[in-house]
């Protein structure tokens, strides 16, 4: 099938602006379309990581993992009740040490957005507000003087922790978010939930409240270069005060608070839209209170995963995250942000309560994120990585391209599985073709024998030259056209551009497979495209006159091995962490592979310092004892922890909820969604020398009733249990290999 899109009138009104959100001079500036850093276009790639939900001793490695995935900004909530759970007692130690976390971000050149609340949500108890606020003589999230007085004290405490760490002081903090979803969203007030079903206020006081919070922040010393606020759902984010931030989720467990809803709908999140166009101002989940072309379209909460609620269990398809990024980027976004990018564990309370929202797991906040609760890299990490490498490589060009949509693109119904979904960003007749064949809650069929014709200002270009384009089910991709290389123009490639690098006098270009698509490369000095096998790793040279370039084509099976370390691209099954002048690889397998991408340089893997230790690790068996069908004791031999970085217990069970205890203390839990339950044990190695890990499940129940006909105050649950057996328990060892690159 053939499609045509008119790409004439490519002029995009891009001009410098001095948004009122810029409060002081510094390296950050804005045009109306994109952010600039040090005078150059800058594509912000933000990943959410909550420091108070992760062991502080491991922060540095996890920050590096985020950087290795292409993240250049870390966004983090400062949860009020994680720091002042007891009134008047602030805790900034260990997992709550904000200063250390920000300093580590600075060490690794990661910018920071602090989301300081006072209301955050984040599936935290009371949305992050301390319990003790409930009994005081004011409404929270209001302009009441008593409430604002306590907010000022909170902001001052935060300010003390990050003093001297702002971007205007050569630190990493570039922006501060005020409140969250103000006048749009609330959270259960867990102090009363279950009896009165009380909810935290959604907020009152209008835009004046955001203004008051900003004034208090500035007066408290929280003087970031600019401020932000979430804008979706009618939330208040006045552009005279803040940069409005957007997002999108396609899995909504919260909708099942409404008991009348029994099935999750397919959402419009995967329909292309032009978000920076005054003539198309409103769209699903985008209802700005300003002219869209006046302000950059920026995101802070694109779906990087989603946590399971008790009433809704699901597995996030890894393809959904890359497709979400493609939709936003194609629509004019030059600042992406994922929530969450890195999972974690809810910290222990000082008061014996759990600090989660009651619909979610008590401890686990894995979020099915790109990086999991214990630092595991998911396939979504690698799918996003190749997009992030592309954005960094192309930022100066990509930031200035204009969005074009084919006629009717925004009217496509999410349940329409046949119509091709595509969009283009272009400037000066060169740009990027976006194709999306993913839809949440439905399965898109593969598309075959397609051709997309671009009617440019100075030519008509068909991609590919014959109608042979295909794309797999659930797949999205970004194809370059009229791409300038060192030997002329690449007219098009039916593969995804990832990055480029120079070696001596030769430029190398890295492309990755788009599943289901046969890769071909047409250069302006060739009559026919160069075709290669889709699933074959291939390096080839293209020459013109006395010049040449090298193309590296990586199939999907190889893209997870691609890394950039010390300005070199490598392929490795380990995860490289560059710190303190060394490169340390996390390795999850018994073998360690490492090659330099350039064919002319083969890396000698024997240079790995402790490779021999890795290869000779002896197998160890767990000691398990059945207590009941639903409870088991697991003893971990101390030798398991010797010379390793992490031990992941891997559990499969049939049941409703799983709990893990050590000496009666809950360390993890799991709402069973059919995935393997992974539990990181290294944090508890000392306790596990003397105490077993107790795994307990709550059974699935075919039927249930509470018998309460006793004349005394007695109740008992009677149910038919649908199996609670543990199916498998194993473990995975993560080791480190230090390499001299």
């Amino acid at each position: 099938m053939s499609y045509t899109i008119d790409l004439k009138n490519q002029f995009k009104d891009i001009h410098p602006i001095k948004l009122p959100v810029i409060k002081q001079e510094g390296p950050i500036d804005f045009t109306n379309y994109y952010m600039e850093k040090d005078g150059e276009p800058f594509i912000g790639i933000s990943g959410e990581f909550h420091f108070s939900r992760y062991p502080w001793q491991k922060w540095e490695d996890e920050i590096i993992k985020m950087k290795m995935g292409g993240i250049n900004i870390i966004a983090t909530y400062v949860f009020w009740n994680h720091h002042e759970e007891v009134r008047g007692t602030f805790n900034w130690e260990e997992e709550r040490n904000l200063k250390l976390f920000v300093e580590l971000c600075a060490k690794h050149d990661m910018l920071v957005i602090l989301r300081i609340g006072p209301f955050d949500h984040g599936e935290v108890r009371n949305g992050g507000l301390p319990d003790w606020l409930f009994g005081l003589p004011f409404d929270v999230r209001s302009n009441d003087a008593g409430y604002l007085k306590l907010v000022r004290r909170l902001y001052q405490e935060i300010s003390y922790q990050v003093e001297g760490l702002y971007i205007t002081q050569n630190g990493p903090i570039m922006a501060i978010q005020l409140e969250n979803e103000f006048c749009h969203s609330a959270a259960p007030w867990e102090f009363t939930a279950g009896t009165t079903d009380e909810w935290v206020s959604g907020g009152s006081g209008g835009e004046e409240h955001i203004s008051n919070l900003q004034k208090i922040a500035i007066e408290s010393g929280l003087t970031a270069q600019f401020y932000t606020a979430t804008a979706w759902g009618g939330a208040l984010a006045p552009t005279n005060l803040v940069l409005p931030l957007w997002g999108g989720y396609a899995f909504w467990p919260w909708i099942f608070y409404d008991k009348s809803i029994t099935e999750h709908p397919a959402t419009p999140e995967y329909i292309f839209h032009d978000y920076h166009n005054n003539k198309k101002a409103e769209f699903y989940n985008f209802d700005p209170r300003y002219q869209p072309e006046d302000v950059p379209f920026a995101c802070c909460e694109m779906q990087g995963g989603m946590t399971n609620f008790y009433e809704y269990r699901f597995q996030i398809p890894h393809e959904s995250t890359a497709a979400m990024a493609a939709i936003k980027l194609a629509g004019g976004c030059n600042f992406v942000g994922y929530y969450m990018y890195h999972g974690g564990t809810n910290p222990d309370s000082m008061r014996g309560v759990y600090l989660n929202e009651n619909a979610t797991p008590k401890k686990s906040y894995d979020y099915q994120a790109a990086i999991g609760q214990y630092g595991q890299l998911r396939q979504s990490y690698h799918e996003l990585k190749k997009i992030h490498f592309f954005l960094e490589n192309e930022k100066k060009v990509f930031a200035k391209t204009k969005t074009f949509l084919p006629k009717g693109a925004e009217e496509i119904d999410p349940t329409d599985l046949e119509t091709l979904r595509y969009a283009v960003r272009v400037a000066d007749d060169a740009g990027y073709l976006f194709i999306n064949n993913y839809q949440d809650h439905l399965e898109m069929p593969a598309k075959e024998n397609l051709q997309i014709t671009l009617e440019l200002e100075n030519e008509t270009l068909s991609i590919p030259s014959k109608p042979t384009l295909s794309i797999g089910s659930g797949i999205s991709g970004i194809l370059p056209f009229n791409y300038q290389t060192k030997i002329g123009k690449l007219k098009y490639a039916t593969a995804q551009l990832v990055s480029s690098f120079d070696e001596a006098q030769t430029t190398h270009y890295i492309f990755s497979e788009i599943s289901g698509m046969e890769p071909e490369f047409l250069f302006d000095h060739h009559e026919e495209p160069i075709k290669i096998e889709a699933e074959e790793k291939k390096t080839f040279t293209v020459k013109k006159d006395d010049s040449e370039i090298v193309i590296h084509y990586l199939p999907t099976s190889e893209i997870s091995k691609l890394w950039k370390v010390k300005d070199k691209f490598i392929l490795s099954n380990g995860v490289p962490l560059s710190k303190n002048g060394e490169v340390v690889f996390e390795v999850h397998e018994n073998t360690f592979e490492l090659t330099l991408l350039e064919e002319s340089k083969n890396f000698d893997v024997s240079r790995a310092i402790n490779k021999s230790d890795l290869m000779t690790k002896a197998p160890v068996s767990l000691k398990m004892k059945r207590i009941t069908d639903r409870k088991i004791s697991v003893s971990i031999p101390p030798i398991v922890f010797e010379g390793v970085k992490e031990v992941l217990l891997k559990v499969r069970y049939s049941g409703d909820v799983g709990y893990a205890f050590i000496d009666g203390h809950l360390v993890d839990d799991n709402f069973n969604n059919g995935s393997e339950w992974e539990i990181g044990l290294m944090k508890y190695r000392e306790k596990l020398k003397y105490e077993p890990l107790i795994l307990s499940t709550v059974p699935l129940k075919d039927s249930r009733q509470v018998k309460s006909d006793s004349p005394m105050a007695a109740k008992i649950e009677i149910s038919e249990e649908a199996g609670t057996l543990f199916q498998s328990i194993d473990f995975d060892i993560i080791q480190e290999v230090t390499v001299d690159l």
Side-chain angles (χ1 to χ4, degrees), residues 578-642:
S578 299
K579 58 181 179 179
N580 304 324
E582 292 185 327
V583 181
V584 178
F585 286 78
E586 281 190 5
V587 182
H588 294 241
E589 305 172 26
N590 290 329
T591 59
F592 175 56
E593 302 168 2
L594 172 59
T595 59
L596 298 178
L597 192 60
E598 304 99 308
E599 278 193 325
S600 60
K601 295 182 180 179
N602 293 317
F603 185 81
D604 182 4
V605 76
S606 67
R607 289 159 62 188
I609 292 173
N610 56 344
K611 174 176 178 290
S612 58
D613 292 340
L614 178 80
M615 301 295 290
T616 59
K617 186 72 179 179
V620 178
S621 298
L622 300 173
K623 298 179 181 179
M624 291 176 278
K625 178 181 177 182
R626 177 186 176 277
I627 300 171
T628 68
D629 282 350
R630 68 175 73 172
K631 185 177 288 189
I632 192 167
S633 171
V634 182
S635 295
I636 316 294
I639 194 174
V640 171
F641 297 104
E642 292 182 8

Side-chain angles (χ1 to χ4, degrees), residues 655-674:
D656 188 21
V657 178
Y659 297 99
F661 298 90
I662 300 175
D663 195 23
H665 179 72
L666 182 67
V667 296
D668 198 15
D669 56 342
N670 173 263
F671 286 178
N672 194 357
N673 67 349

Side-chain angles (χ1 to χ4, degrees), residues 241-279:
L241 298 171
V242 296
L243 176 67
L245 296 180
W246 300 88
Y249 296 99
F251 290 78
W252 311 330
W254 50 84
I255 68 171
F256 294 101
Y257 278 117
D258 184 344
K259 300 300 183 183
S260 67
I261 297 175
T262 58
E263 185 175 351
H264 198 299
T267 74
E269 290 290 355
Y270 295 97
I271 305 298
F272 286 109
H273 178 67
D274 186 353
Y275 293 98
H276 200 258
N277 189 327
N278 290 344
K279 296 179 181 178

Side-chain angles (χ1 to χ4, degrees), residues 316-608:
I316 289 281
H318 70 261
E319 301 91 347
S320 67
T321 55
M324 178 76 72
I327 290 290
K328 303 300 183 184
L329 289 167
C333 181
N334 290 312
F335 190 123
V336 296
Y338 305 99
Y339 189 102
M340 297 288 294
Y341 186 82
H342 196 308
T345 304
N346 291 315
D348 290 336
S349 163
M350 296 172 62
R351 300 171 47 251
V353 300
Y354 289 106
L355 294 176
N356 65 308
E357 182 176 337
N358 61 19
T360 65
K362 293 180 177 355
K363 297 295 293 183
S364 175
Y365 200 66
D366 176 84
Y367 215 82
Q368 303 184 65
I371 305 178
Q373 180 178 359
Y374 300 105
Q376 318 97 301
L377 300 192
R378 307 271 165 64
Q379 186 59 34
S380 57
Y381 175 96
H382 300 294
E383 295 296 324
L384 291 176
K385 178 175 62 176
K386 63 185 180 182
I387 295 176
H388 301 162
F389 284 4
F390 159 77
L391 292 173
E392 174 59 26
N393 198 68
E394 300 296 303
K395 60 187 176 185
K396 293 181 182 179
V397 174
F398 183 83
K400 298 178 181 180
T401 55
K402 178 181 178 180
T403 294
F404 283 85
L405 303 178
K407 186 177 180 180
E410 293 162 304
E411 284 73 50
I412 295 175
D413 189 278
T415 61
D416 178 353
L417 306 183
E418 300 301 325
T419 302
L420 184 67
R421 305 177 187 186
Y422 70 100
V424 174
R425 281 188 63 163
V426 62
D428 300 324
D429 275 2
Y432 314 92
L433 169 62
F434 292 77
I435 302 177
N436 173 44
N437 200 34
Y438 173 83
Q439 173 61 54
D440 65 273
H441 296 90
L442 294 171
E443 184 174 350
M444 298 278 280
K447 305 290 191 299
E448 299 179 340
N449 301 321
L450 308 173
Q451 185 181 52
I452 300 173
T453 298
L454 312 180
E455 293 185 345
L456 299 161
E457 297 276 12
N458 299 298
E459 66 172 315
T460 297
L461 176 64
S462 293
I463 303 177
S465 54
K466 297 178 181 179
T468 57
L469 186 72
S470 299
I471 188 167
S473 174
I475 302 301
S476 58
I478 308 171
L479 286 63
F481 62 89
N482 281 337
Y483 182 75
Q484 189 65 50
T485 74
K486 292 295 179 66
I487 60 167
K489 286 185 179 179
L490 173 62
K491 298 301 294 182
Y492 68 78
T494 54
Q496 186 152 325
L497 176 64
V498 177
S499 193
S500 65
F501 62 93
D502 293 321
E503 179 197 6
Q505 301 301 313
T506 302
T507 299
H508 297 243
Y509 298 90
I510 305 171
F511 286 82
S512 70
E513 175 187 4
I514 298 173
S515 184
M517 191 174 294
E518 293 298 321
E520 58 181 66
F521 301 79
L522 179 63
F523 288 86
D524 58 0
H525 61 288
H526 289 173
E527 292 185 3
E528 294 293 326
I530 300 169
K531 298 182 180 182
I532 59 177
E533 294 296 321
E535 297 179 0
E536 178 184 352
K537 180 173 175 281
K538 183 76 172 179
T539 296
F540 59 94
T541 300
V542 184
K543 297 183 178 181
K544 182 180 180 182
D545 300 327
D546 294 329
S547 300
E548 67 178 29
I549 63 173
V550 176
I551 302 288
H552 301 273
Y553 173 81
L554 299 177
T556 300
S557 60
E558 292 290 305
I559 198 65
S560 64
K561 300 177 183 178
L562 181 69
W563 306 98
K564 188 175 184 181
V565 183
K566 293 187 174 181
D567 295 324
K568 300 176 184 178
F569 280 98
I570 66 171
L571 294 173
S572 177
N573 63 340
V575 182
L577 307 175
S578 299
K579 58 181 179 179
N580 304 324
E582 292 185 327
V583 181
V584 178
F585 286 78
E586 281 190 5
V587 182
H588 294 241
E589 305 172 26
N590 290 329
T591 59
F592 175 56
E593 302 168 2
L594 172 59
T595 59
L596 298 178
L597 192 60
E598 304 99 308
E599 278 193 325
S600 60
K601 295 182 180 179
N602 293 317
F603 185 81
D604 182 4
V605 76
S606 67
R607 289 159 62 188

